[in-house]
Each structure stands twice: as structure tokens, then as C-alpha cells.
Amino acid sequence: MEKKQFKMVIPKDVKDWLADQAKKNLRSQSQEIVLALREKMASQEVAAQK
């Protein structure tokens, strides 16, 4: 899998939540973002199949 890097600007409250979730789930913040995006991708695929 090819990986790309990019810069993202997010509100402080979202960043704080992300850091908290990553710590709770023993993941990096990048892994938490990828997981959230993949979950969103999967839900859109399911919706498109209906």
C-alpha cells in the first residue's frame, strides 16, 4: 500500500479528542484518522448498494 503524507489543520477540540481516542485505543493519531476515514468509506459503500 502506497502512503502519502499531507498537512491538516483541525480545531483544537477535535485534536484533543483525537489524541484522547488514540491513547485509549493504543493507536497513533494517524491510525485513528485512517480508521475513521475507512469506516466512513465503508458506510458510503453500503449506502450506495441500497
Side-chain angles (χ1 to χ4, degrees), residues 24-41:
K24 284 181 187 176
N25 296 320
L26 303 175
R27 294 187 187 103
S28 69
Q29 291 181 31
S30 290
Q31 289 171 321
E32 283 292 327
I33 292 169
V34 171
L35 177 64
L37 292 172
R38 290 202 182 275
E39 287 174 349
K40 179 70 173 184
M41 289 167 63

Side-chain angles (χ1 to χ4, degrees), residues 10-24 29:
I10 58 176
K12 182 183 181 321
D13 64 322
V14 175
K15 177 71 166 87
D16 292 345
W17 176 87
L18 176 61
D20 185 53
Q21 290 300 301
K23 186 174 181 179
K24 284 181 187 176
Q29 291 181 31

